[in-house]
Amino acid sequence: MSRRTFAKLTALGTAAALSGINNVGASPTEMLEKMTETAAEAPTDVNLVKSHCSHCAVGCGFLGRIEDGVCTGMEPWIDHPVNRGSMCSKGTAIPEMLNSETRLKHPMKKVAGAWVQMTWSDALDEIASKMKAIQTTDGPDSIMYIGSAKVTTEECYLFRKFAAFNGTNNVDHQARICHSTTVAGMANTWSYGAMTNSWNDMRHSGLIFFCGENAAESHPVSMQHILEAKKRGAKFIVADPRFTKSAALADQYVRFRPGTDIPLIWGIANVIVNNNWHNKDFIAERAYGFDEWWAVAKDYTPEVVEDITWVPAETIKQLAYDWAHPPREGKPACICWAMGATQHTVGTNNIRSFACLELLMGYIGQSGGGCNAFRGHDNVQGSTDMCILSHWLPAYYGLTEGSWKHWISVWNEHEPITFDDMKAKFAEYGEGSLMHVNGLTVSRWYEGVLDSGVKQPNPVKMVFVWGHSLNSISEMAKMKEAMEDVELLVGVDPHATIAASLADRPDGIIILPAATVFEKDGSVTNSARQVQWRNKLVEPLWESKPDMWIMKELADRLGFGAHFTYESPEDVLREINRGACVIMMRESPERLKRQQENSADFSCEDCQAKSGPCEGEYWGLPWPCWNDEHPGTPILYRNDIATKDGGNEFRTRFRGADSTPGNPVSDDGVSMLGEGYDYPDGYDEMNCDGTPGSGWKYDLDCDWKAVLADNKCPSGAGRGRFRAWNLPDPVPIHREPIESPRPDLIEKYPTYDDVDDLYRVKCLFKTIQDERKNLVDKFPLILTTGRQVEHMGGGAETRSCEYLVELQPYMYAEINPTVALALGVNWDTDTHLGDDIWVETLRGKCRVKAYVTERVNDETVFMPYHWAGVFEGVSYADRWPAGCGELAYGDSCNIITVDGYDRSTNMQETKACLCKVYKA
Ligand code: SF4
């Protein structure tokens, strides 16, 4: 692709997504016309192959332009129902990244301080041999498997299975540190933990409320749907500690203090209930625990909340009015978030509070309403569904004996294996087998190396870093130490990444070149649960290999290759279709490919095919997709249409001890069956024959036809929970961040007590908060982190693209002009860039450029998190294998973010800690 074409496509894509910034006034239709003209300019003697962007979970489609087996560019996929041809700057850089000269080209090993090329065979033999040795001497839990959200769903599934056959639950990935609290917060409210509606559905919202999301930079193309809703009369409100690019497009911006989401939301809810605006019918029919919730929320008056959050009481009252009366008549309100809300010690509670705000008005289960978690990586929904997570088996099955037996019955079809065979692979520790115990998490895996008190037989001695950017993880100095302590570190990625460069060691690292997602076939699931088939564009470049091939080769060498006898990704997806019953992920490869071929038949308004062979189906067959004829469920918990047509109910998942089949009750004996709407008596989850039971989760062969024909939802009709009795805080309450600028509020709203065993390691809460109670005296500013539109995740891919690096070459920290003046920092008023500064916390310090702007107030500092290659001001550029270095480096903010973690999921707190800034 020529630079001119790149610039043109970038401008078009960005304009379509961000018409308010770059192309004021252009309608989606006008943008579509412009793109049609662009596509018409493409030469006709090239092969255009449908594919999907790999940079965020919007799931934008594009056409890869293939000439003689080489990807020479891209063209817009104009009738793709989600993006309609538009792409953002990251997306349009895909050919450049695919062909990047800095990709890892061969297996490499570090020997005596130098990088040495290996053959694949030698590399895999050495890795397998070391694995066997560690499994024999230290036990299977001494190997940590860090997986990837950047591979296909099939490969995610195989990775979780690979860890299981290696006898450990020490397997985890990015979703732990981006949306694990989303899953926990939503699943504990109404049973599924995914985005309830979709990007396109936001066109039908009456009010769109962003709380900790900056889609204009992180999910740019999704903005076309939001701006369309705005054009149709919806109000768009952005609440964020920082005036973001999304805030610039909003009708209203609300600045609030990092870490105070719950009081902000409870303040809004408080005004709604006091004015009697809440939806009492919905609450009576479909919710549980309102009174207990109100006993907490009644104390968060606007005046109390103003003191905690920075938000004036009058603004809270106005937000409450707007939430209860969306300006676009007859349309509900939705709430959207990303890591601004999830990455906190109270992350799970933040998301619970959002879900309760939806319950309060009954907006959940409606088009235009719902909870829209904007996920990051292109397949982080798929990787979450496949549960590369240390506390689940694929498709959200727990670690109980019943769950293991379920998957063993699926895996059995390759070669016989019994539950006892599988159990024998796992170590015993404490009161029983570790096969039933949560493993270490990616957020704190290094504690498994360094902590002599880790709750497993021996510390971690070897780690796989498979497609994960380690610079995304907090406490980097500790992690660096762990990377230097393990006996072998294996990196698997298209790029060398900091797996190759961060550890200060002369040997003990092997890095394997994985193929990119454009060099293999497979499915990916975007944030809206839409499953899309991605075609291979080109054969893997250099010596890179698909991840599935690498896993199969290792499985052969480790003696369980007979359980990995797949011929193709389609084989794997069919196995997933069979076993993933909790979410009914029955989107067959054939149906997905048929949708891809007929994308023009799908409407942009509701993502439904209005004609053609897929007529009636929703794009991506969003789960639950109950059988081979089901259209998919685009809006969760919508009960005004039949389940067979895409309707759904709150699952009857939550059951107190006194529950019986057919009669699930809460811990305090209240029926958890919904009532008074479609089904007068409600009903429990059921077996394939329609009788009460739990068959829907375990019955591999049931296709649910009879039950669906009866207009029943096999997972039951339950209640959404205001009170989640199984969580540390059944009703969310405000808890100050570990490091707070308000010592007085720490007294009033303290964090949690310390926990001795949180995913196998100790986690300090109260102890460190108390120790740092007056930290604000020495570290007076609040540090928060976030994204840049040009970069993605840990940044190894995007910082290897010359165009993106040219657009965004520097790591920086945003500081307010008042702070800059006080510190004597000089800056250019055109570029906002200024002198180098140090940003320092109790964990360490980063040397970065000052970016002087009023986006942040004079109490806040913002740093983007995509950077690596510099550690506390020292460049590590010479540590990459020759020719494999990235094109831009910077200090990683995760060297200095706080050592606080979500009480339920171990999510790291990157959005609120205390720092000081000074001129470098
Ligand atoms: Fe679309 Fe996201 Fe890719 Fe941008 S990064 S083109 S918004 S999928």
Side-chain angles (χ1 to χ4, degrees):
M1 177 167 52
S2 72
R3 192 180 178 90
R4 185 180 149 273
T5 309
F6 171 84
K8 191 172 179 181
L9 287 176
T10 302
L12 282 171
T14 308
L18 308 176
S19 60
I21 296 175
N22 286 337
N23 201 336
V24 178
S27 71
T29 310
E30 287 163 341
M31 297 312 304
L32 204 59
E33 282 165 6
K34 286 185 190 176
M35 286 178 186
T36 307
E37 287 163 22
T38 308
E41 289 172 17
T44 52
D45 58 345
V46 298
N47 194 15
L48 296 178
V49 181
K50 287 182 174 176
S51 185
H52 298 94
C53 177
S54 61
H55 289 307
C56 89
V58 175
C60 296
F62 69 91
L63 307 178
R65 187 167 58 190
I66 311 303
E67 296 177 76
D68 292 333
V70 177
C71 179
T72 58
M74 65 199 308
E75 302 295 342
W77 178 349
I78 290 166
D79 56 32
H80 188 284
V82 178
N83 65 310
R84 294 274 150 175
S86 36
M87 305 281 285
C88 72
S89 52
K90 286 185 284 279
T92 42
I94 281 170
E96 171 72 12
M97 284 180 274
L98 167 58
N99 295 318
S100 171
E101 287 290 335
T102 64
R103 276 177 58 178
L104 183 60
K105 299 168 188 72
H106 317 281
M108 307 284 283
K109 177 183 180 182
K110 205 168 184 188
V111 181
W115 286 104
V116 177
Q117 191 173 324
M118 298 179 90
T119 65
W120 268 104
S121 171
D122 287 351
L124 294 167
D125 285 348
E126 186 170 334
I127 292 165
S129 152
K130 186 67 182 174
M131 289 175 75
K132 284 184 197 166
I134 288 175
Q135 285 167 348
T136 305
T137 55
D138 297 278
D141 294 287
S142 289
I143 304 175
M144 178 77 202
Y145 302 83
I146 299 177
S148 177
K150 271 258 170 301
V151 296
T152 65
T153 296
E154 294 73 35
E155 289 167 335
C156 295
Y157 169 75
L158 293 182
F159 196 79
R160 185 62 185 88
K161 183 175 173 180
F162 184 74
F165 274 82
N166 276 301
T168 184
N169 291 324
N170 281 341
V171 53
D172 218 50
H173 82 301
Q174 285 100 326
R176 175 75 59 190
I177 54 172
C178 61
H179 277 279
S180 62
T181 49
T182 289
V183 179
M186 284 209 281
N188 275 295
T189 304
W190 41 49
S191 61
Y192 290 123
M195 185 171 187
T196 60
N197 294 48
S198 71
W199 318 106
N200 299 59
D201 184 66
M202 280 186 266
R203 290 167 167 258
H204 308 295
S205 296
L207 183 147
I208 295 169
F209 184 43
F210 274 23
C211 194
E213 160 63 13
N214 176 20
E217 296 213 58
S218 56
H219 305 85
V221 173
S222 71
M223 288 297 294
Q224 67 177 274
H225 301 295
I226 289 154
L227 296 177
E228 179 61 23
K230 189 177 171 216
K231 203 168 88 179
R232 295 178 185 185
K235 185 165 186 180
F236 177 31
I237 302 172
V238 171
D240 201 292
R242 173 175 171 251
F243 186 82
T244 61
K245 289 185 180 176
S246 300
L249 295 164
D251 295 299
Q252 183 180 5
Y253 167 61
V254 180
R255 195 189 293 279
F256 73 104
R257 178 164 68 90
T260 63
D261 306 56
I262 295 164
L264 175 63
I265 299 299
W266 280 178
I268 294 169
N270 179 291
V271 176
I272 289 174
V273 175
N274 276 326
N275 282 284
N276 216 16
W277 294 330
H278 52 304
N279 187 335
K280 289 167 274 301
D281 289 344
F282 180 92
I283 292 166
E285 291 162 9
R286 297 188 72 183
Y288 159 80
F290 175 84
D291 292 341
E292 293 88 339
W293 167 80
W294 179 241
V296 172
K298 69 175 173 38
D299 294 334
Y300 290 83
T301 62
E303 293 69 28
V304 167
V305 171
E306 175 175 334
D307 180 48
I308 301 172
T309 62
W310 295 343
V311 183
E314 287 309 309
T315 303
I316 291 162
K317 290 176 193 168
Q318 167 253 310
L319 290 172
Y321 182 85
D322 284 347
W323 185 258
H325 309 88
R328 192 171 163 203
E329 207 174 330
K331 300 288 185 186
C334 69
I335 186 163
C336 308
W337 69 88
M339 284 141 64
T342 63
Q343 291 187 330
H344 292 276
T345 49
V346 291
T348 298
N349 277 352
N350 283 349
I351 310 313
R352 286 261 307 126
S353 72
F354 298 165
C356 290
L357 196 62
E358 281 283 308
L359 282 179
L360 196 61
M361 296 308 303
Y363 292 152
I364 185 72
Q366 289 193 51
S367 175
C371 280
N372 293 321
F374 287 26
R375 306 207 57 160
H377 293 277
D378 58 326
N379 197 32
V380 70
Q381 186 61 52
S383 59
T384 301
D385 294 341
M386 294 304 101
C387 297
I388 308 178
L389 293 163
S390 68
H391 60 300
W392 275 323
L393 294 175
Y396 309 98
Y397 286 82
L399 300 176
T400 62
E401 187 170 326
S403 293
W404 276 106
K405 285 181 172 169
H406 170 81
W407 278 108
I408 287 167
S409 72
V410 176
W411 296 336
N412 236 330
E413 291 170 17
H414 291 263
E415 185 177 81
I417 180 168
T418 66
F419 174 76
D420 288 338
D421 294 337
M422 183 60 79
K423 189 172 178 185
K425 293 174 181 288
F426 283 77
E428 297 278 323
Y429 184 78
E431 293 179 1
S433 171
L434 284 174
M435 81 185 300
H436 304 302
V437 177
N438 294 346
L440 293 161
T441 61
V442 77
S443 50
R444 306 190 74 214
W445 71 271
Y446 47 84
E447 297 287 9
V449 181
L450 304 174
D451 181 358
S452 54
V454 60
K455 308 289 188 295
Q456 60 180 43
N458 288 295
V460 170
K461 299 281 178 68
M462 175 177 171
V463 59
F464 276 95
V465 184
W466 202 304
H468 184 95
S469 297
L470 291 178
N471 47 321
S472 312
I473 298 174
S474 299
E475 295 200 74
M476 274 185 71
K478 268 190 171 180
M479 186 179 69
K480 182 173 179 294
E481 195 184 333
M483 290 167 73
E484 288 156 2
D485 267 19
V486 290
E487 292 175 11
L488 180 62
L489 189 158
V490 180
V492 188
D493 197 271
H495 297 266
T497 79
I498 67 163
S501 60
L502 185 59
D504 196 1
R505 59 186 300 167
D507 49 29
I509 308 177
I510 295 176
I511 47 178
L512 304 176
T516 68
V517 294
F518 307 109
E519 296 163 323
K520 57 193 175 188
D521 294 308
S523 68
V524 283
T525 308
N526 70 11
S527 241
R529 295 169 285 111
Q530 293 166 328
V531 186
Q532 306 189 91
W533 190 261
R534 181 152 55 195
N535 297 311
K536 177 160 73 174
L537 295 184
V538 294
E539 292 299 323
L541 293 179
W542 296 291
E543 282 190 52
S544 62
K545 296 285 188 188
D547 303 79
M548 179 169 157
W549 181 89
I550 301 169
M551 277 183 270
K552 283 180 66 165
E553 289 290 320
L554 283 173
D556 284 341
R557 284 166 171 77
L558 292 163
F560 53 83
H563 292 282
F564 281 67
T565 54
Y566 306 94
E567 295 292 322
S568 65
E570 286 88 339
D571 276 359
V572 185
L573 182 52
R574 287 187 197 99
E575 184 169 304
I576 295 167
N577 292 158
R578 188 156 160 70
C581 304
V582 165
I583 52 173
M584 277 294 148
M585 201 169 160
R586 290 197 164 160
E587 302 90 350
S588 68
E590 292 74 22
R591 291 183 82 193
L592 297 179
K593 289 177 188 179
R594 188 176 69 174
Q595 287 203 342
Q596 187 188 77
E597 282 165 23
N598 295 283
S599 53
D601 295 333
F602 288 81
S603 159
C604 184
E605 286 297 318
D606 61 1
C607 285
Q608 190 180 40
K610 303 299 179 191
S611 60
C614 306
E615 186 172 354
E617 291 179 9
Y618 293 96
W619 182 253
L621 300 167
W623 55 255
C625 179
W626 292 96
N627 58 26
D628 272 350
E629 293 162 18
H630 194 266
T633 307
I635 297 172
L636 288 173
Y637 319 121
R638 178 178 175 182
N639 69 0
D640 62 330
I641 59 172
T643 304
K644 70 176 169 45
D645 298 325
N648 191 229
E649 299 278 6
F650 297 134
R651 282 164 54 192
T652 48
R653 176 183 169 198
F654 305 104
R655 318 166 84 82
D658 294 335
S659 299
T660 55
N663 185 29
V665 294
S666 64
D667 68 331
D668 51 358
V670 176
S671 172
M672 292 303 289
L673 296 177
E675 63 186 30
Y677 52 111
D678 271 4
Y679 315 101
D681 303 317
Y683 56 81
D684 198 1
E685 56 187 14
M686 57 188 60
N687 298 308
C688 198
D689 61 5
T691 57
S694 56
W696 73 283
K697 279 182 286 194
Y698 297 108
D699 194 334
L700 297 174
D701 299 316
C702 178
D703 82 355
W704 298 108
K705 262 189 190 145
V707 173
L708 296 181
D710 244 9
N711 194 20
K712 287 185 174 176
C713 183
S715 53
R719 289 172 176 272
R721 299 194 300 173
F722 280 102
R723 172 179 171 269
W725 60 81
N726 53 313
L727 292 180
D729 293 327
V731 175
I733 57 174
H734 177 53
R735 294 179 181 275
E736 278 291 312
I738 296 288
E739 293 180 358
S740 164
R742 291 285 301 271
D744 58 322
L745 293 182
I746 290 176
E747 288 281 336
K748 202 167 172 192
Y749 304 105
T751 189
Y752 299 97
D753 290 336
D754 298 345
V755 182
D756 188 47
D757 180 358
L758 191 60
Y759 296 87
R760 301 194 183 183
V761 290
K762 187 187 277 284
C763 196
L764 300 179
F765 288 90
K766 190 87 170 53
T767 297
I768 55 177
Q769 190 184 55
D770 284 347
E771 282 170 5
R772 302 172 196 176
K773 197 163 155 190
N774 295 307
L775 192 65
V776 67
D777 297 341
K778 292 183 178 160
F779 293 81
L781 296 167
I782 302 169
L783 172 64
T784 191
T785 67
R787 289 187 236 206
Q788 296 166 304
V789 69
E790 297 84 359
H791 292 300
M792 166 61 200
E797 286 174 298
T798 51
R799 285 185 290 101
S800 297
C801 171
E802 63 178 293
Y803 300 142
L804 294 176
V805 165
E806 187 179 321
L807 287 167
Q808 193 58 264
Y810 303 116
M811 173 60 185
Y812 55 72
E814 289 181 359
I815 55 174
N816 186 273
T818 312
V819 174
L821 287 170
L823 297 173
V825 170
N826 299 306
W827 73 94
D828 180 317
T829 50
D830 290 333
T831 65
H832 298 272
L833 285 168
D835 298 331
D836 276 11
I837 53 173
W838 287 104
V839 184
E840 183 175 338
T841 71
L842 287 183
R843 271 68 57 197
K845 57 186 182 176
C846 293
R847 181 178 173 141
V848 297
K849 287 201 172 299
Y851 189 101
V852 182
T853 172
E854 296 198 12
R855 289 178 190 167
V856 288
N857 68 6
D858 59 5
E859 295 183 53
T860 314
V861 175
F862 168 85
M863 295 172 85
Y865 63 69
H866 314 288
W867 293 81
V870 179
F871 196 90
E872 298 197 299
V874 178
S875 172
Y876 282 9
D878 59 356
R879 294 179 173 201
W880 267 261
C884 294
E886 289 142 23
L887 303 178
Y889 297 113
D891 241 320
S892 169
C893 63
N894 283 317
I895 296 168
I896 60 174
T897 48
V898 75
D899 46 347
Y901 299 89
D902 178 70
R903 174 65 182 79
S904 297
T905 74
N906 235 349
M907 163 73 80
Q908 59 198 16
E909 180 166 62
T910 67
K911 303 303 179 199
C913 73
L914 294 181
C915 70
K916 62 182 173 187
V917 174
Y918 46 98
K919 206 168 153 178

